[in-house]
Amino acid sequence: MVLLEVQRGDYDKSLYCFRKAVEINPENDKAWVGLAMVHSQFGDMELAWANIETAIDINPQNRTAVHLAANWGLRDGKLQKAIEALQGYLASVEEDEDMSLVLINLLCSAGQVDQAMLEIERVLLWNPDHAEVRSLKKKIIASQKVA
């Protein structure tokens, strides 16, 4: 029901419902993500970040929370927070090539090329034919030769 309110753009009602949900169950990581998204819509990024960090603290495997942290980290210049969330997520799931790719890009953006290369190798161990990761590896190696 709450997601329907979000889809309709009724953020005030969504905010009320998500607040009630975390009041009833403060360990509801999905409700914290919902609060984060609504606060982001209202432009309160400080509160949105606090909500997303709470969701990740409760459940480091919440893919939506981690993905939002990655997107917001890039946008808000909080790369290290985003990297830490992704690393925690990837340490606790079997494999997630898409999220590994997000981490690789964030690590490159943060200038942590050695760490990015390690993550590239990890992905290629799971899937040696991953074209996008192979392409990134070539680009990184080429850029290191130029430098």
Side-chain angles (χ1 to χ4, degrees), residues 113-141:
V113 178
D114 291 341
Q115 291 285 3
M117 289 298 286
L118 282 173
E119 189 63 25
I120 284 171
E121 293 304 326
R122 196 167 83 109
V123 172
L124 292 176
L125 285 172
W126 300 324
N127 182 359
D129 299 323
H130 196 293
E132 196 170 353
V133 172
R134 289 180 93 50
S135 173
L136 261 173
K137 182 179 180 179
K138 286 179 185 174
K139 287 179 187 175
I140 291 171
I141 290 170

Side-chain angles (χ1 to χ4, degrees), residues 89-90 92-100 122-123 125-127:
Y89 171 82
L90 290 168
S92 64
V93 298
E94 185 66 28
E95 65 182 73
D96 187 332
E97 293 175 13
D98 292 335
M99 293 297 268
S100 285
R122 196 167 83 109
V123 172
L125 285 172
W126 300 324
N127 182 359

